[in-house]
Amino acid sequence: MLDLDTPLKSVLGAKHASLLADELDLATVGDLLNHLPRRYHERGELTDLDGLVVGEIATVQARVTKVVKHKPRADWNTNNRRRESGRTEITVTDGRGELSLVFFNQQWRAKALTPGTTALFAGKVAEFRGRRQLIHPEVHMIDGPDSDDDAGDGQLGVAGGQLGELGVGEGGDDVAGERGERSSAVADFAGALVPIYPATAKLTSWKIARCLRLVLDSLGGLTDPLPESVRSRHRLAGLARAYQLIHRPGTRGDVAVARTRLKWDEALVVQIALAQRRRRVELVATQPRPGRAGGLLDAFDASLPFALTDGQREVSETIAAELAKAVPMHRLLQGEVGSGKTVVAVRAMLLAVDSGGQAVLLAPTETLAAQHHRSLLRLLGDQARAGELGVSGPATRVALLTGSMPARARRDTLAAIADGSVGLVVGTHALLGAGVTFHDLALVVVDEQHRFGVEQRDELRSRGRRPPHLLVMTATPIPRTVAMTVFGDLEVSVLNQLPSGRSPISTFVVPAVNTVLMSRMWGRVREEVAAGHQAYVVCPRVGEGTAGAGDPAGTEEPAPPEPGEPGEPGQAGGQGPRDGGERVGATVAQTLPRLVAGELAGLRVEGLHGRMPAAARDDVMTRFAAGEVDVLVATTVIEVGVDVPNATVMIILDSDWFGVSQLHQLRGRVGRGSAPGICLLQTCVDATAPAAERLRAVASTSDGAELALLDLAQRREGDVLGAAQSGGRRSLRLLELLRDEDLIRSAREEAGAIVAADPELRSLPALHRLLADALDETSAAFLEKG
């Protein structure tokens, strides 16, 4: 009997086990069983050939419609010996599209693949003269004679060999008898459902399926990591049965039963890890910060020139209640751009200072940090001038710390932070540097959470003598953050009520190939300026050779589009040369002089980016805010914190370079006054590209929460138990956060009960093992950082 730790070598032999390890990193029976089908074909169901992507390894099911044998021609091999080479071209269809199969020196294929025959074909999709094709695809017959590969013996070839005679037992490569006859092979692949696996050129889907059949035939009862009470309560299949059903389903219902069980494994593992983390956090007491009557917060509220919205008051009360506890707060404040998140954060910071501690506001760029610093000084007035003559009543000091500060000013600021004479600190990534010591750090506020990684947030939190409270703010949470809210590990407060006087923002996509719309786009800017308003033009890059470079205080430029996305250089941005054959994004360096001399001639146009000296940036922003500049050509340095109510129009050049969160943040810079705002998303990508779909979605809604779900659907949640913010590496294979919320919540309840009864899972060794396999030391350490 096999178990999940059994090496594949003892089941399949050294040769084939080595191939599975080299091609797919599968070494044990458990690895192979967890290599799940990507999809299933039903018998007689044809593949959508129009969906094939050139360059991908594909397994398709199609019907032969035409066979053409080209006459052999004389050729010479490397030994200068004459040989005859012939080509057989077979056309297959799914009823809508066609695909060409090309075989060289295999004239016998014409007899096996006659018109009307249905088969599985696997190979790398190529294109020749506008027609997609597979060169020398591997073949598995569905409704005709079994002609697997080139062997002709009914067995499945692996990298030129055969997998029909698989060694079983200690002998490795010894032949232990033929494990499958022709009829069973056909049954495997031409049954009710045909599993299609992630494969490689050397290891096709049906070869993987044959390996799995041999493993499943020898698989005994497995020790189930899920407690029997959990399985019974939620009517879940046992683990061994789930593997049988997902790899050998008779119906779609079998697949659903198996997937539900395996989803529970994933959900319960994550929830137990989070439950254990929450338990450890609760055991680490922090300093309660209850505030005090007649302090800074009361004075601040009395001086506000506007009334707080109901949402702001409600969220502030929730935060105040958590700050008063000995358990560190870990809360996400999600709110639309302009919904008043900053005022809520300031109230929380003042509450921390009233309690005798310090509060720090971490901003992603120097421009935003300076903006926050000025706003705090303006909002607090005398309350920010502690120790100065003429100041009466409660007061504190507000310090700014950035990477570009002069050395002496930096030393003085660091000393004031260390001795506690500064209560409120605003800064950039410079706050994470060596030498930054706090007297009594009580609260960390992270603005624009999507611009910081977990490691960076945790580094700042570690500067407190006791674990400080944490408040992160964003308009559109990144996918991993959405995932953590679904799993229940991050408490969320939502501000969805905009302050009075805010105007709506209209968003439109402008294809660069449409010259009429491009001309109208720049005309709209001139119209807004003529009406007394101002405009932004946003570029993804500063200048040539700076793709991906950023603000000294934090990354300000987005990653380039995914390779292979269609699109040609556009006008007034994106029109530059190609790097390595790929389109480059618009730069401030090129766009600014072009607009000054062309589309926006006669207007007061200036540039702004993170590579400018801090003083120069502040000067440009000050004059723009004062109305002395009509159009600001900038990078994403203006993404957050820039508040110019008179700005009504924004053009984002090569907008496909930006993510959903950035686009939503950027357009929030307009429409901040009484006049309505408009955002124009210029793009060079084809209308059918995924990036174009993303832009249309952003244009269709101004709801940040809805956009966050869109971002999650497109980029996935990332590695929930690791450092990946989204996409690439994933902890979850089957679990879909948007569809499985109920399952995830049920798993959280079960995990809470399990951890409460047995925190270290000593009575559940199989579940402990499953958790250990999913949560290595790196992931465990990362999870502790929140």
Side-chain angles (χ1 to χ4, degrees):
M1 292 296 182
L2 309 179
D3 61 29
L4 298 182
D5 294 323
T6 301
L8 287 174
K9 178 180 178 180
S10 65
V11 187
L12 308 178
K15 177 179 179 181
H16 309 304
S18 177
L19 184 64
L20 285 165
D22 293 342
E23 292 293 309
L24 296 171
D25 197 25
L26 306 177
T28 67
V29 165
D31 292 339
L32 183 58
L33 289 174
N34 285 301
H35 187 72
L36 303 180
R38 176 176 293 167
R39 63 184 186 277
Y40 299 87
H41 281 317
E42 294 186 11
R43 184 172 184 174
E45 176 187 17
L46 302 181
T47 301
D48 180 6
L49 299 181
D50 289 335
L52 297 180
V53 177
V54 174
E56 285 191 356
I57 302 295
T59 299
V60 304
Q61 182 173 321
R63 182 176 297 114
V64 177
T65 60
K66 183 180 179 181
V67 179
V68 177
K69 295 172 62 177
H70 296 274
K71 292 181 179 181
R73 64 178 182 179
D75 196 6
W76 299 90
N77 62 18
T78 56
N79 295 323
N80 288 325
R81 292 182 179 178
R82 181 183 175 88
R83 66 180 180 183
E84 299 290 325
S85 63
R87 177 167 57 94
T88 301
E89 187 171 354
I90 297 174
T91 302
V92 298
T93 183
D94 62 355
R96 297 176 298 277
E98 289 187 339
L99 179 69
S100 177
L101 314 176
V102 180
F103 300 93
F104 293 96
N105 296 322
Q106 294 184 16
Q107 301 290 333
W108 56 272
R109 292 288 189 183
K111 296 180 180 180
L113 296 171
T114 56
T117 301
T118 299
L120 290 172
F121 307 97
K124 187 173 184 179
V125 182
E127 189 172 47
F128 180 68
R129 293 180 178 176
R131 188 179 185 188
R132 278 165 299 185
Q133 61 181 11
L134 301 181
I135 306 295
H136 273 287
E138 299 193 58
V139 181
H140 189 97
M141 306 300 292
I142 292 294
D143 60 1
D146 188 357
S147 61
D148 283 321
D149 307 310
D150 300 350
D153 63 354
Q155 307 309 323
L156 305 180
V158 179
Q162 282 120 28
L163 187 59
E165 298 177 334
L166 289 174
V168 179
E170 300 296 332
D173 290 321
D174 293 340
V175 175
E178 191 168 314
R179 293 299 310 268
E181 297 180 355
R182 186 183 309 273
S183 59
S184 63
V186 173
D188 275 357
F189 297 97
L193 288 176
V194 180
I196 303 299
Y197 294 91
T200 70
K202 294 183 178 180
L203 201 55
T204 58
S205 175
W206 54 83
K207 294 173 184 175
I208 297 169
R210 181 60 183 277
C211 291
L212 276 158
R213 186 169 70 84
L214 295 176
V215 167
L216 291 169
D217 283 346
S218 304
L219 193 65
L222 297 175
T223 301
D224 203 313
L226 264 61
E228 193 281 330
S229 59
V230 174
R231 300 199 307 271
S232 175
R233 211 163 16 248
H234 300 281
R235 299 178 180 179
L236 302 175
L239 183 59
R241 176 166 169 74
Y243 283 135
Q244 293 282 353
L245 291 179
I246 203 162
H247 292 296
R248 285 175 161 176
T251 65
R252 295 282 179 183
D254 290 344
V255 177
V257 169
R259 286 174 65 89
T260 297
R261 163 54 211 260
L262 296 177
K263 284 181 180 182
W264 259 90
D265 285 17
E266 293 183 357
L268 193 62
V269 162
V270 175
Q271 290 291 23
I272 285 178
L274 296 177
Q276 290 177 330
R277 174 187 173 277
R278 285 191 293 271
R279 183 175 181 275
R280 288 190 290 270
V281 169
E282 290 170 0
L283 294 176
V284 179
T286 189
Q287 177 68 41
R289 308 290 178 172
R292 63 184 176 89
L296 285 165
L297 180 56
D298 288 345
F300 174 73
D301 286 346
S303 66
L304 278 177
F306 53 84
L308 297 176
T309 66
D310 293 340
Q312 286 174 318
R313 288 194 177 279
E314 181 179 344
V315 172
S316 292
E317 290 172 2
T318 299
I319 292 173
E322 290 193 336
L323 290 177
K325 296 179 180 178
V327 177
M329 178 180 71
H330 189 201
R331 179 166 291 275
L332 168 70
L333 177 55
Q334 178 182 335
E336 289 304 321
V337 177
S339 61
K341 297 188 296 296
T342 301
V343 171
V344 172
V346 170
R347 297 186 79 248
M349 294 171 71
L350 293 177
L351 190 61
V353 175
D354 277 341
S355 302
Q358 294 169 294
V360 60
L361 175 59
L362 179 62
T365 65
E366 289 194 359
T367 299
L368 178 56
Q371 174 84 15
H372 278 314
H373 184 245
R374 287 193 296 267
S375 296
L376 282 174
L377 293 176
R378 184 179 66 253
L379 286 171
L380 295 176
D382 285 350
Q383 294 173 266
R385 299 169 53 206
E388 297 183 25
L389 292 176
V391 176
S392 60
T396 188
R397 288 175 59 192
V398 183
L400 174 66
L401 184 67
T402 65
S404 63
M405 291 177 66
R408 181 171 180 177
R410 177 181 173 82
R411 285 195 302 270
D412 292 345
T413 300
L414 290 176
I417 294 173
D419 66 24
S421 58
V422 166
L424 299 177
V425 183
V426 181
T428 61
H429 296 71
L431 287 167
L432 309 177
V436 181
T437 303
F438 292 88
H439 178 70
D440 184 12
L441 183 58
L443 173 65
V444 174
V445 179
V446 180
D447 195 14
E448 303 311 326
Q449 170 257 2
H450 67 283
R451 298 291 291 271
F452 295 95
V454 174
E455 298 278 2
Q456 292 169 314
R457 300 198 298 269
D458 184 69
E459 173 62 29
L460 185 54
R461 291 168 67 192
S462 70
R463 303 298 173 90
R465 290 184 294 178
R466 299 182 182 89
H469 299 279
L470 174 67
L471 178 67
V472 294
M473 302 190 297
T474 187
T476 51
I478 59 174
R480 185 181 184 275
T481 300
V482 177
M484 300 314 287
T485 62
V486 173
F487 277 107
D489 192 57
L490 185 62
E491 299 297 332
V492 184
S493 293
V494 178
L495 285 177
N496 50 23
Q497 179 183 3
L498 293 179
S500 59
R502 287 299 302 266
S503 302
I505 304 173
S506 301
T507 307
F508 302 94
V509 178
V510 180
V513 295
N514 190 321
T515 55
V516 174
L517 288 180
M518 288 290 294
S519 176
R520 179 74 188 104
M521 178 178 76
W522 297 115
R524 183 58 187 267
V525 173
R526 302 189 74 92
E527 291 169 7
E528 290 294 318
V529 172
H533 300 304
Q534 294 163 280
Y536 298 98
V537 177
V538 180
C539 302
R541 303 167 66 223
V542 176
E544 291 305 316
T546 62
D551 189 309
T555 301
E556 74 165 39
E557 297 191 353
E562 295 182 2
E565 276 192 346
E568 293 299 323
Q571 302 174 22
Q575 77 280 3
R578 291 173 173 266
D579 290 338
E582 295 182 4
R583 178 174 58 86
V584 297
T587 67
V588 172
Q590 288 183 332
T591 303
L592 179 61
R594 177 187 174 92
L595 293 179
V596 169
E599 290 90 339
L600 303 183
L603 303 184
R604 296 172 298 177
V605 184
E606 294 203 27
L608 180 72
H609 55 78
R611 292 176 177 267
M612 296 169 60
R617 290 200 306 271
D618 288 343
D619 175 65
V620 172
M621 278 307 308
T622 300
R623 289 188 291 110
F624 183 69
E628 299 172 10
V629 176
D630 297 323
V631 181
L632 195 61
V633 180
T635 59
T636 55
V637 71
I638 56 99
E639 177 185 342
V640 287
V642 176
D643 187 4
V644 180
N646 193 47
T648 57
V649 61
M650 172 177 286
I651 293 175
I652 304 179
L653 298 175
D654 290 320
S655 56
D656 49 282
W657 277 55
F658 299 94
V660 170
S661 294
Q662 280 189 308
L663 290 173
H664 188 54
Q665 289 285 354
L666 284 167
R667 68 176 169 186
R669 299 309 104 201
V670 297
R672 302 179 73 88
S674 58
I678 181 171
C679 179
L680 303 174
L681 307 177
Q682 183 263 4
T683 180
C684 300
V685 301
D686 186 86
T688 61
E693 180 183 351
R694 182 172 73 245
L695 297 180
R696 288 191 293 270
V698 172
S700 69
T701 181
S702 59
D703 187 332
E706 183 178 338
L707 290 172
L709 294 179
L710 165 73
D711 206 15
L712 174 64
Q714 289 194 343
R715 295 200 291 157
R716 306 304 296 264
E717 76 292 333
D719 186 6
V720 174
L721 299 180
Q725 298 282 27
S726 68
R729 180 184 174 189
R730 302 185 63 225
S731 301
L732 311 177
R733 296 170 299 126
L734 294 177
L735 206 60
E736 298 178 72
L737 300 183
L738 300 184
R739 296 182 180 181
D740 297 321
E741 284 193 54
D742 291 342
L743 187 155
I744 291 169
R745 290 193 179 96
S746 296
R748 187 186 189 200
E749 294 177 4
E750 295 288 358
I754 290 171
V755 171
D758 185 1
E760 302 303 323
L761 307 180
R762 290 189 174 89
S763 63
L764 299 168
L767 183 56
H768 183 274
R769 172 80 176 273
L770 182 65
L771 177 63
D773 289 343
L775 198 65
D776 58 22
E777 291 185 7
T778 302
S779 297
F782 183 85
L783 191 62
E784 287 302 309
K785 299 172 183 177

